[in-house]
Amino acid sequence: MGTRSFAKLFLWLLLCLFGLLGSQLIQATVTYDRKAIVINGQRRILFSGSIHYPRSTPDMWEDLIQKAKDGGVDVIETYVFWNVHEPSPGNFNFEGRNDLVRFIRTIHKAGLYAHLRIGPYVCAEWNFGGFPVWLKYVPGISFRTDNEPFKKAMQGFTEKIVGLMKSENLFESQGGPIILSQIENEYGVQSKLFGAAGYNYMSWAADMAVKLGTGVPWVMCKEEDAPDPVINTCNGFYCDQFAPNKPYKPTMWTEAWSGWFSEFGGPLHQRPVQDLAFAVARFIQKGGSFVNYYMYHGGTNFGRSAGGPFITTSYDYDAPLDEYGLIRQPKYGHLKELHRSIKMCERALVSVDPMVTQLGAFQQAHVYSTEHGDCAAFLANYDTKSATRVLFNNMHYNLPPWSISILPDCRNVVFNTAKVGVQTSQMEMLPTNIEMLSWESYDEDVSSLYDGSTFTASGLLEQINVTRDASDYLWYITNVDIGSSEAFLRGGELPTLIVRSSGHAVHVFINGQLSGEIHGPVALHGLDQGKWDLSWQTWTYQVGLKGEAMNLLSPTSVSSVDWMQSSLVVQKQQPLTWHKAYFNSPDGDEPLALDMEGMGKGQIWINGQSIGRYWTAYANGQCNGCSYAGSFRPPKCQLGCGKPTQRWYHVPRSWLKPTQNLLVVFEELGGDPSRISLVKRSVATVCAEVAEFHPTLKNWHIESYGRAEEFHSPKVHLRCNQGQTISSIKFASFGTPLGTCGTYQQGTCHAPTSYDIIERKCKGKQRCAVTISNSNFGQDPCPNVLKRLSVEAVCAPTGLRV
C-alpha cells in the first residue's frame, strides 16, 4: 500500500514536472530592456539574416535556413508581401512560394527565431512596394497617411497575418519562433512630409499593432518618434551613431546592408566583408545588441515581382548566400567567425556599459568588465590608411586600418575585422550539354489589335492605371490623317515622332509595320504645319499581348498558332516575337541558370512558371577596384562594367521534369534564341591566404600563470562543394607571396616545398587544412619576417582530374 502510494506520488510529481516544462515552452516570454531583447529572462546578443520566402522556392528554404544557422545566425527575418497574399480583395494565396506558415515552421524546425516584418508596405525593390495594385482603386484612398480607407485595408491585412500566425501557434509567446514583428517600414521621412497626418497615422499604426496582442515586441525601422512600447530601429550601411528614442529601449539594427541591389544598365555592387564586419563590430562595441543582415540571401525576383523601373531579376545583393543559395566566400565565413567571437563576449556585453579609452588619435578601446570577472574588449583603429600599434593593458596590439580587434578575455585577440582567414571561392557557369530541342517562333500579331477588349479615351493615360498590373504591355493606338499636299510625300524630309516619358521601351508601328524604337507629350515634328501634338487626341487602348491571351507560355495551352522554325525568324531579328523549345533536365544537383547573352529584352517561362524579366543591357559605371577601408557607398565598389548587368537567370530545379521541359521566351527587341543555353553554377577555384599569428578562436583564454603558453598556429582551410574534390593546385607559396586570388605571384621569400606540401595534403580531397608553421615547410624560408601562406586550388567534379 505504502509503495503504491509512493509510486502514485512519484508519478504525480513527474506529471507536474512535465506540465511545468510544457507550460514554460508554451508561455515563453519576450521583452526588452535598454541592453537587449530578453527571451525567457535572458538578455541576448542576436544576429539575424533576411531571407524573403517568395524570392526562393520552398525546396530551397530548409537548406538556406540551415546554412544561415551554421553561419552563426540566430534569427531569420522576412517581409510579408501583401500583393502576393491578397492578389484581389478578400482572395488569399498562401501556397507554393507564398506559403508563409511553412516558411516560419521551417525556421522553427531549424531551432532559430523569426522576425516578421508585416509592413504592410515593404519597399524591398518589390513591385508596387508590396501593395496590391487593387488598393490603388479603393474609393477615396490615400496611401500611408491618416486616411480611413487606407487604414481599414491595412489593418485588415495586418490582422489577417497576425491571426494566421496565432492560429498556427507561431509567436514565441505560444511556443513558436517569432520573437519580433514590425509595423510600417522606413516611414520617418514620409511622415514628416505629411506633417500632422503622418504623425497621426504612424501613432495609429503602432497602437493598432500593439493591441493585436502577439506577446512579442513590435519595432518600427527608421522611425525616430515611434511611440512606446514600440522600439525604433536603424537601417543603413552603418548604425554606430544610432541610439533609440528612449533610454530603456535596446539598440537594434534591422537592416545592415550586406551589399546593394542591381539595376539593368548599371554595374554590380560589392561590399567588402572587412568593411561589413567592421560596421557590425563597431555597432556592437557601442552597445548594439541586435543586427540583421539585409540580405543574408537575396534570391530572385521571379515573375513580374521586381520593383522600381529597372530592378534586375537577380536580387543577389552580394549576400553571404548568393542568389542560387550557394555560400559566398569569404563573406559567409568571415561573418561566421565574427559572430562566434562576439558570442564569446555576450555575458559581459549584456551586463554592463563599456568604458571607453582613447588609445591614439584614431584609436579607441571599448572595455566591458563585470564584477563577476568577465571582461571583453574591442580595440578599434578608425584610420582609413595606416595600420598602428597600440598599448592596451600593458600589451601591444597591431591594428590594420579601418579595423576592430575582439578580445573576449581583454587579453587575446581572437578576431580582427580586416584579417580574413577564410577561403575565397570563385564561381563559374559551366555548360550542361543539354540542348534546346526544336526551337519554334511566333510573331506577335500587331494587325489584329482591335480584335481584343479595347476602349478609347481622350489623352494619354498612365500605364498601370490602364493595365492594373495585369500585363507589362499596353498598346496606345491613334489615327493620324496626313494630307496629300505634305512636302515629305514629295521627297522632303520625313517627319519624326517624339515620345517622352517612356518606360523600359516603346515600339512604334505605323500601318502595321515596325518603324523604330524611340525613347524620349507625343508629337509629330516636321509637318508643313510644324509640330502636331498628339497628346490629347483620342487614343484606343488594349492591355496585353495576343500571345498572353492565348496562354502561349503554358505547356497545357491549346491554340491555333502556326509556329515557325526559328531559323527562319532569327535572320530578321523581329521584335515582339515568341520563341519556344523543349529540353531535358540535367543530372546532378548544382543550381541551374539560363544564359541569355544572345537575346535582347523580354520574359521567360519554364513549364508555365515565370523565371522573370530579362534584359541584356550593358553596365555603365566606374569599375576601378576597391579598398575595404573607409565608408562604403554603392558607387565605391563596382563590378561588371561593359558587360550585361545580368546574363544568367536562375532556373529552380524543382520547376523541372526529367524530360520535355517547355521553355517559352517573349523577345521584345529581337534576338537569337539558338544561343540560349542551360548552365550550372559551381565553384571553380578556392583561394586562401593566412599569415603567421593570424587571430584564432582557439587562442581564447590561453593559460599563462607560470606555465609555457601553447599558441595554436593558424591554418589555411580549403573546401570545394559537395560532389567536388581539389583536382590541382594552381598556386602555393609560404613566404611573402604577392597579389590576390587569381593573380598570386611568388615574392622575394618562398619555401620551395610549398607546392609539394599543399598537393600532398589537399589534392583529391573535398576539404583540407594546412597549419602555417616553419616546421610544416621544412625550414624557415626567411627568418624574422612575417610570413603567410597563399594557395589557389581548382575544384572539379569527383573523379575528374584537371
Side-chain angles (χ1 to χ4, degrees):
M1 182 69 178
T3 303
R4 286 198 299 271
S5 298
F6 174 78
K8 288 180 181 177
L9 176 63
F10 181 68
L11 179 61
W12 181 82
L13 286 172
L14 281 176
L15 290 172
C16 287
L17 177 61
F18 283 123
L20 286 171
L21 290 173
S23 172
Q24 190 176 25
L25 287 172
I26 293 173
Q27 298 177 3
T29 59
V30 184
T31 58
Y32 64 80
D33 61 18
R34 69 183 187 89
K35 292 296 293 179
I37 294 294
V38 180
I39 303 175
N40 286 335
Q42 182 180 357
R43 291 173 176 155
R44 297 290 306 275
I45 300 290
L46 294 171
F47 294 104
S48 173
S50 291
I51 300 175
H52 295 161
Y53 53 98
R55 282 176 158 142
S56 54
T57 58
D59 71 298
M60 296 172 64
W61 292 345
E62 186 171 351
D63 180 64
L64 294 172
I65 291 165
Q66 185 61 48
K67 285 175 178 173
K69 181 179 181 179
D70 294 342
V73 166
D74 308 291
V75 183
I76 301 297
E77 176 274 335
T78 186
Y79 281 125
V80 179
F81 298 84
W82 189 355
N83 58 356
V84 305
H85 292 305
E86 194 177 6
S88 60
N91 296 311
F92 292 94
N93 178 1
F94 292 97
E95 298 179 352
R97 297 201 320 277
N98 306 330
D99 193 342
L100 177 59
V101 168
R102 177 178 171 181
F103 184 72
I104 301 298
R105 283 177 174 164
T106 307
I107 295 170
H108 197 194
K109 180 183 176 183
L112 297 182
Y113 297 120
H115 178 199
L116 200 63
R117 301 175 74 185
I118 298 175
Y121 174 76
V122 299
C123 185
E125 293 72 57
W126 190 261
N127 189 36
F128 218 49
F131 285 141
V133 172
W134 58 259
L135 197 65
K136 180 179 173 72
Y137 308 104
V138 172
I141 200 164
S142 183
F143 284 26
R144 303 180 78 199
T145 188
D146 193 7
N147 171 269
E148 290 306 318
F150 179 77
K151 291 194 296 185
K152 180 180 179 182
M154 173 187 165
Q155 181 171 352
F157 181 72
T158 304
E159 290 175 343
K160 174 72 176 181
I161 296 301
V162 170
L164 178 62
M165 298 299 103
K166 282 185 175 181
S167 70
E168 300 289 339
N169 296 319
L170 293 177
F171 287 102
E172 179 73 9
S173 55
Q174 303 171 294
I178 302 172
I179 59 168
L180 292 167
S181 291
Q182 178 180 296
I183 195 69
E184 252 300 336
N185 186 60
E186 296 185 332
Y187 184 64
V189 174
Q190 191 75 17
S191 175
K192 289 178 174 58
L193 292 176
F194 281 128
Y199 180 82
N200 291 341
Y201 163 70
M202 181 276 298
S203 301
W204 167 86
D207 182 65
M208 179 268 291
V210 170
K211 287 179 177 177
L212 293 176
T214 62
V216 303
W218 287 87
V219 304
M220 281 183 161
C221 62
K222 299 181 77 169
E223 186 63 61
E224 61 187 23
D225 50 4
D228 289 355
V230 176
I231 307 166
N232 66 305
T233 66
C234 183
N235 293 355
F237 289 112
Y238 305 92
C239 280
D240 52 279
Q241 300 300 315
F242 170 78
N245 60 18
K246 295 291 175 58
Y248 42 81
K249 295 179 181 180
T251 304
M252 300 177 63
W253 191 357
T254 40
E255 289 187 16
W257 297 333
S258 61
W260 203 240
F261 57 85
S262 303
E263 300 172 271
F264 287 116
L268 306 179
H269 306 284
Q270 183 181 58
R271 185 177 188 185
V273 69
Q274 299 96 319
D275 173 65
L276 179 56
F278 172 78
V280 172
R282 193 172 180 175
F283 178 75
I284 296 292
Q285 77 172 4
K286 297 187 71 172
S289 59
F290 181 97
V291 177
N292 175 70
Y293 296 101
Y294 189 100
M295 299 295 293
Y296 199 81
H297 165 72
T300 306
N301 293 316
F302 294 113
R304 297 168 50 249
S305 62
F310 304 113
I311 301 299
T312 57
T313 300
S314 171
Y315 199 65
D316 180 83
Y317 227 91
D318 195 39
L321 302 179
D322 72 10
E323 178 187 0
Y324 301 84
L326 298 178
I327 289 173
R328 170 173 277 118
Q329 295 285 30
K331 184 163 280 187
Y332 175 92
H334 195 54
L335 293 178
K336 177 179 180 176
E337 292 191 350
L338 169 68
H339 303 154
R340 292 176 64 190
S341 304
I342 290 174
K343 286 301 181 74
M344 289 177 173
C345 310
E346 182 176 36
R347 194 162 61 182
L349 292 173
V350 300
S351 300
V352 295
D353 294 328
M355 295 289 293
V356 183
T357 305
Q358 207 68 27
L359 302 178
F362 299 101
Q363 294 78 36
Q364 284 183 335
H366 287 69
V367 180
Y368 290 80
S369 182
T370 74
E371 60 184 19
H372 301 294
D374 294 315
C375 188
F378 294 72
L379 308 183
N381 179 15
Y382 304 127
D383 195 311
T384 61
K385 296 180 180 178
S386 300
T388 190
R389 186 174 174 86
V390 299
L391 181 66
F392 172 73
N393 280 355
N394 297 317
M395 294 181 66
H396 286 97
Y397 296 87
N398 296 314
L399 301 177
W402 199 251
S403 77
I404 294 175
S405 285
I406 299 175
L407 294 68
D409 55 1
C410 287
R411 182 174 179 272
N412 292 291
V413 176
V414 301
F415 182 85
N416 178 273
T417 58
K419 295 181 178 180
V420 179
V422 300
Q423 74 178 28
T424 296
S425 299
Q426 296 189 328
M427 313 301 291
E428 65 180 352
M429 294 300 198
L430 300 172
T432 59
N433 299 320
I434 295 295
E435 293 185 11
M436 300 295 168
L437 305 174
S438 305
W439 275 108
E440 295 179 295
S441 299
Y442 165 72
D443 292 345
E444 177 69 18
D445 188 358
V446 299
S447 64
S448 59
L449 289 175
Y450 290 101
D451 294 346
S453 176
T454 63
F455 70 94
T456 59
S458 296
L460 294 165
L461 303 180
E462 193 273 331
Q463 181 170 347
I464 200 168
N465 281 335
V466 179
T467 65
R468 300 207 173 194
D469 206 33
S471 172
D472 274 5
Y473 308 102
L474 176 65
W475 294 96
Y476 291 75
I477 308 163
T478 194
N479 293 318
V480 178
D481 294 325
I482 301 296
S484 59
S485 61
E486 286 287 346
F488 77 87
L489 294 175
R490 300 190 302 275
E493 186 175 349
L494 294 174
T496 303
L497 181 67
I498 303 296
V499 182
R500 295 189 180 92
S501 301
S502 67
H504 289 176
V506 174
H507 299 284
V508 178
F509 291 84
I510 297 177
N511 295 331
Q513 297 299 312
L514 178 67
S515 298
E517 289 78 42
I518 51 178
H519 297 268
V522 174
L524 270 174
H525 291 249
L527 299 176
D528 292 350
Q529 68 185 52
K531 182 181 77 171
W532 185 353
D533 190 346
L534 305 178
S535 303
W536 291 102
Q537 286 211 162
T538 297
W539 290 82
T540 299
Y541 297 90
Q542 180 165 312
V543 176
L545 304 170
K546 188 172 183 180
E548 289 179 307
M550 293 187 295
N551 203 21
L552 296 184
L553 54 94
S554 172
T556 60
S557 68
V558 178
S559 68
S560 57
V561 167
D562 292 327
W563 293 87
M564 296 181 292
Q565 291 296 316
S566 277
S567 57
L568 303 175
V569 179
V570 167
Q571 297 172 6
K572 55 181 181 177
Q573 300 279 300
Q574 176 76 14
L576 303 185
T577 302
W578 297 84
H579 305 282
K580 73 172 183 178
Y582 290 90
F583 66 95
N584 297 332
S585 182
D587 296 332
D589 57 2
E590 303 96 332
L592 301 175
L594 283 173
D595 185 346
M596 301 296 290
E597 187 180 31
M599 302 299 284
K601 178 180 177 293
Q603 297 186 44
I604 309 166
W605 296 264
I606 287 183
N607 294 330
Q609 300 202 64
S610 178
I611 294 291
R613 303 182 180 108
Y614 70 89
W615 192 359
T616 313
Y618 286 79
N620 292 313
Q622 300 294 322
C623 299
N624 299 322
C626 170
S627 168
Y628 78 87
S631 296
F632 177 81
R633 292 293 180 269
K636 182 181 179 184
C637 301
Q638 300 185 153
L639 302 172
C641 297
K643 300 177 181 178
T645 302
Q646 185 173 354
R647 174 179 170 181
W648 295 286
Y649 295 80
H650 182 203
V651 177
R653 278 190 176 265
S654 60
W655 291 9
L656 300 182
K657 305 178 296 182
T659 61
Q660 286 293 296
N661 295 286
L662 173 63
L663 168 63
V664 176
V665 175
F666 178 68
E667 170 60 46
E668 299 176 18
L669 304 178
D672 181 357
S674 67
R675 295 176 60 189
I676 296 174
S677 64
L678 191 69
V679 297
K680 56 184 178 183
R681 185 168 177 84
S682 185
V683 173
T685 59
V686 291
C687 299
E689 180 177 343
V690 180
E692 295 178 294
F693 312 113
H694 183 91
T696 172
L697 298 173
K698 288 185 177 180
N699 288 327
W700 184 41
H701 279 323
I702 294 177
E703 298 293 341
S704 60
Y705 304 106
R707 300 191 299 274
E709 291 189 1
E710 179 190 353
F711 177 77
H712 296 275
S713 297
K715 295 180 179 180
V716 156
H717 294 268
L718 299 174
R719 181 175 185 170
C720 296
N721 276 0
Q722 288 289 339
Q724 291 183 317
T725 55
I726 296 171
S727 60
S728 64
I729 305 299
K730 291 185 68 174
F731 181 88
S733 178
F734 176 62
T736 58
L738 306 173
T740 58
C741 184
T743 63
Y744 286 136
Q745 299 177 28
Q746 289 184 15
T748 55
C749 170
H750 169 71
T753 59
S754 299
Y755 271 96
D756 291 340
I757 296 296
I758 301 299
E759 278 200 343
R760 187 165 66 247
K761 289 182 176 289
C762 298
K763 190 172 180 180
K765 298 178 181 178
Q766 189 216 345
R767 56 192 299 181
C768 64
V770 181
T771 302
I772 299 170
S773 65
N774 291 320
S775 60
N776 228 348
F777 293 90
Q779 61 182 17
D780 190 338
C782 41
N784 302 318
V785 173
L786 180 67
K787 292 168 285 296
R788 60 186 177 274
L789 174 61
S790 296
V791 180
E792 181 177 0
V794 176
C795 294
T798 302
L800 180 66
R801 292 288 179 263
V802 178

